[in-house]
Amino acid sequence: NAAPSFQVTQTTLLPGNQLALSWPSASGWVYTVEACTNLRPTVAWIPVATNLTGTSGVTSWTGLVNQATEFFCVKAQQ
């Protein structure tokens, strides 16, 4: 099955180098947040949050930003 379409709806930088992400999610799907420090061809995504249970609404994650430049992606699986 194709993953439900979604986009990150909120990114907020919080005190203490924390980042909050929120996205529309679906029940029955599990989400993973991954991070990397560059987008070169040999991107090495590192899981920073796994097994985030989707809801029939919005799923959120708050975590630490470890680098001055850091990229995040959210993956969905059923």
Side-chain angles (χ1 to χ4, degrees):
N1 292 337
S5 61
F6 69 91
Q7 66 182 26
V8 172
T9 56
Q10 178 184 18
T11 57
T12 305
L13 188 59
L14 302 171
N17 283 350
Q18 288 195 335
L19 177 71
L21 299 176
S22 297
W23 59 90
S25 62
S27 295
W29 288 82
V30 177
Y31 297 88
T32 300
V33 178
E34 296 181 344
C36 72
T37 56
N38 68 65
L39 296 177
R40 294 187 179 131
T42 56
V43 174
W45 292 101
I46 299 169
V48 293
T50 58
N51 298 319
L52 299 170
T53 304
T55 64
S56 56
V58 174
T59 295
S60 297
W61 168 79
T62 300
L64 204 55
V65 176
N66 295 319
Q67 305 289 329
T69 300
E70 195 161 13
F71 301 92
F72 293 89
C73 75
V74 178
K75 292 184 176 180
Q77 68 183 38
Q78 196 171 28

